Amino acid sequence: MNETTRASLFLLREVLENDPRSRLLDEKEALLSASNEVARLSSAAKEKAEAYARASDSEDEAKIAEATKAFHEAKKALDEHPLCRDYQLAYGALRRLNESVEKILFGPFAEATFCRRSHD
């Protein structure tokens, strides 16, 4: 890799890391990580997921339905927590930015690969 390309990539990384969307996601992640309530909800969702997995191994339809409902409710409570919703919104904005950058940088290569494959 030549020096101009290397410098450009480092600059791009720096710009992306300092983008307000990236900084916002970092802030939301810190709030999420510091929340005892979110940790409790996350732990409950994991426990219910494990219970659902164990119930799925049985043939007891009522037990499976009960475990499915319990897992759904625990996951919904976690997903609907304001800190989780804020994090997901910030994550989505940064993901769209990264997808745009990826498309600009690598789109021509993907299209060239696709074109070559379609003519083989």
Side-chain angles (χ1 to χ4, degrees):
M1 177 180 325
N2 69 38
E3 194 56 37
T4 302
T5 302
R6 184 184 316 275
S8 296
L9 289 173
F10 280 115
L11 179 60
L12 175 62
R13 184 179 76 188
E14 184 178 327
V15 167
L16 291 175
E17 287 174 353
N18 290 309
D19 185 271
R21 290 162 283 199
S22 182
R23 296 222 180 249
L24 180 62
L25 180 62
D26 291 343
E27 290 171 19
K28 298 301 180 183
E29 184 174 14
L31 290 171
L32 198 62
S33 296
S35 171
N36 291 331
E37 185 178 358
V38 170
R40 183 185 57 76
L41 291 170
S42 178
S43 179
K46 287 177 187 174
E47 288 174 15
K48 301 300 181 185
E50 291 168 2
Y52 168 74
R54 286 190 304 275
S56 295
D57 290 337
S58 77
E59 293 183 16
D60 185 345
E61 294 296 324
K63 189 175 181 180
I64 293 170
E66 182 181 322
T68 301
K69 182 179 180 192
F71 172 56
H72 172 75
E73 289 171 353
K75 181 71 168 99
K76 183 176 183 226
L78 176 62
D79 290 344
E80 290 180 348
H81 189 281
L83 292 175
C84 292
R85 284 196 322 255
D86 289 348
Y87 174 85
Q88 288 297 329
L89 289 171
Y91 178 82
L94 186 60
R95 188 188 76 239
R96 286 186 295 279
L97 172 64
N98 288 333
E99 287 172 351
S100 296
V101 170
E102 183 178 325
K103 186 175 182 179
I104 291 166
L105 292 176
F106 301 110
F109 300 108
E111 291 170 12
T113 302
F114 176 75
C115 290
R116 274 199 309 268
R117 286 185 185 156
S118 64
H119 294 296
D120 289 344

